[in-house]
Amino acid sequence: MKVRKAVIPAAGLGTRMLPATKTVPKEMLPLVDKPAIQYIIEEAVASGIEDILVVTNRAKSAMDDYFDYTPELEDVLIRGGKDSELEAIRHSADIANIFYVRQKETKGLGHAVWRAKRFVGDEPFAVLLGDDIMMGDVPVTKQLIDAAEKYDAAAVGVQKVSAEAISKYSSVKVSALEERIYKVSDMNEKPGPGQAFSEFAILGRYILTPDIFKILENTAPGYGGEIQLTDGLKTLCKTSPMVAVDFDARRYDTGNLQGFLEATIDFALKDPHVGDWLRVFLREKAL
Ligand code: G1P
């Protein structure tokens, strides 16, 4: 199984990050000096992905502008001898083959992924959710691709969360295959009290087969009245092999303010330009 394509659903309204997201797509909010979506795209590219489809909506054109060339700005930077800035803005435009499709209707994550049907064709593909930003040595998508190839299976990225937190995610029913890899036999979206299959939650990374599209076409609206990807995967895992990978990375939910600030501080602490300064600044503030 060779995974060359990725889909990034980015059509959410960003209501947890208002008022900033009233006019700025949440994926374009900067984590240190790069928009959040660039971290997602860099993870995909570092995992061997060549073609990326971003599922957008009518309020998100700042994203495709960002991954384009900006000749006027480049001229100014060239004339001013600002080489590193020039390199940074060219890098974001040359990073991958990026395609866009609009979701057109806000009908849920399952519907957003279904919009990728024509782009994906007959190949396995990765899905990376824009809110889930990862920090780790091996890209999380690569960890999933390795497991999917080894078991010739679909794969979901999971980590254990607390019993209280599981109701925010999808919980998966698993049995161990090897260290960090489990066989998936069932799952549910946003389980109520006592309904979770386990404390393993799916956290924003998937390797799927095109079989998912036919399933999603026949998946009725579920939690919140939306077509849920989890409901489609529940059917997929009963008809085809699927593994859960307890991935090795720190995951940030940048779709809410607390997670966004955690990611901002952690990424800034690692940044060669501001990391040392920020460490001193935070120590002073913590007094
Ligand atoms: C989505 C998915 C859910 C998953 C979560 C974290 O939920 O529907 O299954 O566990 O992302 O990746 P949302 O955060 O959009 O409510």
Side-chain angles (χ1 to χ4, degrees), residues 276-286:
D276 291 341
W277 161 80
L278 182 62
R279 205 160 287 112
V280 173
F281 180 76
L282 289 176
R283 271 204 206 103
E284 282 172 12
K285 288 282 158 188

Side-chain angles (χ1 to χ4, degrees), residues 25-64:
K26 65 175 171 173
E27 296 80 6
M28 289 303 293
L29 295 177
L31 290 173
V32 191
D33 58 356
K34 289 189 293 194
I37 193 168
Q38 188 165 339
Y39 292 85
I40 301 281
I41 288 185
E42 285 174 352
E43 178 189 322
V45 170
S47 303
I49 301 289
E50 295 158 16
D51 295 340
I52 297 172
L53 178 74
V54 186
V55 184
T56 68
N57 67 27
R58 60 190 71 82
K60 306 257 180 165
S61 36
M63 271 192 298
D64 31 320

